[in-house]
Amino acid sequence: AVAKYKPLNESFFDDSFRITPFFPDATNELLFITDTGHHRVLMLNITGSYQLDVIGQFGVTGIALADSTGLDWPHGIAVTTPAAEASFEPVIANVFVADRRNHRLVKLNV
């Protein structure tokens, strides 16, 4: 599954939320991919037109985990922005992942 984060412009998520230096990736377009077979979620910077840069991952590559450090068969994904915590934490988006074999919905803060 794939989900995309895109800011309104370089200064705002929307009219009510201003981007500050506490959000270093907020002006980038981000692509989130569930890599089901490797038990991880990849975060890619797709701002550039010719290259995708992996700037983070959630989970341990190739290792299925059932605790807070990993995932087991991540399948579906959704992104909401601005994040619910944005007014009091440096979080630009909430990423929700269906962790299929652990029978749970995992919320990742970006």
Side-chain angles (χ1 to χ4, degrees):
V2 176
K4 184 178 178 182
Y5 157 81
K6 182 177 180 180
L8 180 67
N9 58 42
E10 289 190 10
S11 300
F12 296 91
F13 291 124
D14 59 34
D15 292 335
S16 65
F17 190 86
R18 183 162 181 76
I19 294 172
T20 69
F22 294 111
F23 307 97
D25 293 313
T27 59
N28 296 329
E29 288 187 45
L30 304 176
L31 184 69
F32 297 91
I33 300 173
T34 54
D35 186 1
T36 303
H38 289 111
H39 310 289
R40 65 184 178 169
V41 173
L42 294 173
M43 181 171 65
L44 293 90
N45 182 352
I46 59 171
T47 305
S49 59
Y50 298 107
Q51 180 175 335
L52 299 176
D53 296 319
V54 176
I55 59 174
Q57 90 172 27
F58 302 96
V60 180
T61 303
I63 300 173
L65 297 169
D67 57 14
S68 63
T69 62
L71 304 164
D72 187 358
W73 214 252
H75 191 67
I77 193 165
V79 177
T80 61
T81 187
E85 302 86 353
S87 62
F88 55 89
E89 286 185 42
V91 178
I92 60 171
N94 295 130
V95 179
F96 297 92
V97 180
D99 191 9
R100 190 170 183 179
R101 290 190 180 159
N102 286 323
H103 308 287
R104 63 183 179 172
L105 181 65
V106 178
K107 180 179 160 232
L108 308 172
N109 293 331
V110 179

